Amino acid sequence: MSCKVLFQYRLPMDGFDELPSDFELFVPIDDTFPGDEFLKHLSTADILVSVFGQKVTKEMMLQAPNLKLIANYGVGYDNIDIACASELGIMVTNTPNPVTEPTAELAMGLMLAVARNIAGFNNDLRVGKVPRWTVLNNLTTTLYGKTLGIIGMGAIGRALARRALSFGMNIIYHNRKRLDDLVEQKYNASYTDLETLLRNADIVSLNLPGSTETHHMIGASEFKIMKPQAILINTARGVVIDEQALIKALINKEIAGAGLDVFENEPSIPEELLKMPNVVVTPHVGSATHETRAEMSRLVASIITRFYAGEKSIPIVNKDVLSGDGFRGKTFY
Ligand code: 8YV
């Protein structure tokens, strides 16, 4: 059996050398394939390795009659039309575990960078704009003893809670589903509704997927109820925040600052945000470490092998595909 694996974007090749020799890999030389080369390959591909920022649309799937598996390189899968994949009998998987710790690490880093003005001092010192040691200048905000409100208490939210606990912070959280008592106790985290969280948190961290349900979840009315000293951290998806409302809230001092790794229209970042000294921005690097990128690749390679072995324990996003008559992986499952 030969199998054509198409990469939508150039990735580290860790783990792919372990695929059987009849697996043919089609990887772009640059970041993506030029012109319509990708679509030509897609028309005969068995497996697509997709990534954030590159859409996998209904039109594309309709042109791929052999496509059985879309193995997404990343935890978020808002780039893929999942309902259509299920309808066409295509399984979609993601890579949740590898991205958990590094994304929580970055969220913690952004919290520190904004609260303690690390990025601002670093910039200012280099251009001689900041007084050196003084007592009454250069004052920032202590995280110890502050309340962190985590919106989205999945794996990344919990990994962030673990870190924040070691910093002596109080944890409140909001989630679609309240966690079990034992899990709440483990993270010393209290459940609140969204409004209570926004009213009480000194730092608000977004750790939930981007979807139609979470689109603009934080907008003008949410900023109005947040504390004026609050800091907003987003390592999830840009669309969760109404970016124009955020800019206004920062200008009007409705909140004190923001640490942002993701933006509404990536890769573009509004000029206003880039100019604000109380905003720290990073270019969507939550999972961008050498270790994690390699681990994500190894996981995708192993998912492909395990798909052909009919394993149900792989991270399947659209489990409903398994029970559908038209599931294209039926011969293995
Ligand atoms: C990466 C991410 O950009 O995993 C995700 O959902 O947003 C990021 O960590 C992505 O994994 C690369 O495809």
Side-chain angles (χ1 to χ4, degrees), residues 50-52 72-77 95 99 103 235-237 262 284 286-288 293 296:
S50 58
V51 290
F52 168 83
N72 195 52
Y73 183 84
V75 63
Y77 43 82
T95 60
V99 308
T103 306
T235 52
R237 281 292 180 268
V262 286
H284 198 146
S287 64
R293 290 288 193 240
M296 289 162 77

Side-chain angles (χ1 to χ4, degrees), residues 172-175 178 190-198 200:
I172 55 177
Y173 78 95
H174 179 70
N175 203 40
R178 187 172 173 167
S190 313
Y191 177 80
T192 71
D193 58 57
L194 182 62
E195 187 179 331
T196 309
L197 182 144
L198 293 170
N200 291 290

Side-chain angles (χ1 to χ4, degrees), residues 111-125:
M111 276 165 60
L112 278 167
V114 181
R116 300 304 306 267
N117 191 33
I118 296 172
F121 285 143
N122 176 64
N123 290 342
D124 290 349
L125 273 175

Side-chain angles (χ1 to χ4, degrees), residues 93-107:
T93 57
N94 66 346
T95 60
N97 289 347
V99 308
T100 301
E101 299 298 333
T103 306
E105 212 168 75
L106 185 78

Side-chain angles (χ1 to χ4, degrees), residues 321-332:
V321 78
L322 287 166
S323 50
D325 288 342
F327 177 37
R328 296 181 185 175
K330 242 187 342 226
T331 42
F332 330 112

Side-chain angles (χ1 to χ4, degrees), residues 158-170:
R158 293 177 209 194
L160 176 62
R162 234 181 41 239
R163 286 168 171 78
L165 276 182
S166 73
F167 270 64
M169 301 184 80
N170 310 311

